[in-house]
Amino acid sequence: AVYIDTEGSFIVERLVDIAKATVDHCNEMARLEGFKEGEITVESVLSGVHFYRCHDYVELLATVHLLPEFIKKHPKIKVVLVDSVAFHFRHDFDDLSLRTRLLTTMAQSFIKLATEFKIAIVLTNQMTTKFSPGEDSRLVPALGESWGHASTIRVILYWEGQKRWAWLYKSPSKKESRVPYQITMGGVRDIVTFPADNSNDQSDDEPSSKRQKVS
C-alpha cells in the first residue's frame, strides 16, 4: 500500500493497532481452516506500507507523477490512498481555472494508475458548507461537482445522532444504500443487530434486539 498524507494526520500507532488486529484475524481464520498460523506478522504488514508526506500541492503532484515507476519496482502494491486530496487545493488558490486543470490532470493520472496496474485508488475528500439563495445551508463534498464525476465510487461518511453511517452515494454496479459502522482499535467494523429472543439471560435494561457486536 502507498499512503500519501497531505494533512499531517497520519498516526503510526493507529497503523500498528490495525496491523495487529489484521494479523490476529488472519491467524484465527488459518486456525479454523486448518492452515499454518504465523504466515503473516505485524512486521510484514508494516513493511508493505509506503508513506509519503506532502506539504503542498506541488509535492502532491510530484508524488503522483512518480507513482508509476515506484509501483513497477514494488509490484505487490494493491492500493494507493491519499488523505486528503482536497487539503492543498481548498486554500491559497486565486486562479480557479488552474486549480481545475491540476485536479483534472491528477484525476486522469489516478485513473491511469488504477487501469494499468489493476490497483485501488482511495481518495478522501473534505466537506464544506454550501449556501444557496432561499435554501438552508448544507454540507457538500469539497472541490465541486466536477471532481465528483472523476470518481467511480463515492462513499460519504457522516454522523447521525450517536451513530456513524456510510452512504454509498455513487456506484456503477450497486444501488444507493446506507449502513452503520463503527471505528474500533482494529479499524473500521460493521454493526450487526440481532433479532429479539426470549432467553433467560436477556437484560431487562437492554433488549437483545438492540445489542450490537463487531462482526
Side-chain angles (χ1 to χ4, degrees):
V2 173
Y3 191 106
I4 301 175
D5 178 19
T6 66
E7 301 185 8
S9 57
F10 180 80
I11 301 175
V12 175
E13 290 77 10
R14 280 296 292 134
L15 178 60
V16 173
D17 289 339
I18 295 172
K20 288 179 179 178
T22 301
V23 170
D24 291 342
H25 174 75
C26 291
N27 286 335
E28 178 66 15
M29 291 297 100
R31 184 184 65 80
L32 293 176
E33 296 294 332
F35 295 112
K36 181 181 178 181
E37 298 180 40
E39 295 291 332
I40 301 177
T41 64
V42 174
E43 290 74 19
S44 66
V45 173
L46 296 178
S47 65
V49 179
H50 306 274
F51 175 78
Y52 290 89
R53 174 72 171 98
C54 297
H55 296 84
D56 54 41
Y57 77 90
V58 176
E59 290 186 1
L60 175 59
L61 293 173
T63 301
V64 174
H65 178 73
L66 295 174
L67 279 178
E69 288 301 319
F70 184 81
I71 295 175
K72 287 179 182 178
K73 296 178 181 178
H74 301 82
K76 291 185 178 181
I77 290 175
K78 296 301 178 184
V79 60
V80 174
L81 191 147
V82 182
D83 182 25
S84 71
V85 71
F87 187 72
H88 293 313
F89 290 95
R90 293 190 62 190
H91 309 287
D92 302 326
F93 249 102
D94 297 328
D95 190 342
L96 295 182
S97 62
L98 173 61
R99 188 186 82 161
T100 301
R101 290 197 301 272
L102 293 176
L103 285 171
T104 300
T105 300
M106 187 167 61
Q108 292 172 345
S109 297
F110 282 131
I111 292 172
K112 184 177 180 181
L113 270 179
T115 303
E116 181 178 351
F117 296 102
K118 308 299 182 184
I119 63 176
I121 307 294
V122 181
L123 310 174
T124 68
N125 196 357
Q126 297 175 339
M127 302 295 287
T128 186
T129 304
K130 182 177 182 179
F131 298 93
S132 300
E135 298 181 6
D136 294 333
S137 61
R138 57 193 177 95
L139 288 175
V140 296
L143 302 182
E145 288 299 323
S146 59
W147 175 257
H149 295 314
S151 303
T152 304
I153 299 173
R154 296 180 71 184
V155 178
I156 298 177
L157 308 178
Y158 66 97
W159 283 93
E160 187 172 284
Q162 298 298 316
K163 186 178 293 185
R164 299 176 187 265
W165 287 83
W167 174 15
L168 181 60
Y169 182 77
K170 175 186 176 183
S171 171
S173 58
K174 302 291 184 180
K175 66 179 182 179
E176 183 177 317
S177 61
R178 309 168 195 243
V179 294
Y181 73 97
Q182 57 185 323
I183 296 179
T184 69
M185 288 292 291
V188 178
R189 297 291 186 269
D190 61 347
I191 298 176
V192 177
T193 302
F194 290 96
D197 59 41
N198 297 319
S199 59
N200 294 329
D201 60 348
Q202 179 174 323
S203 170
D204 293 334
D205 297 329
E206 183 182 18
S208 61
S209 60
K210 294 184 179 180
R211 293 177 185 170
Q212 300 171 341
K213 80 164 189 176
V214 178
S215 65

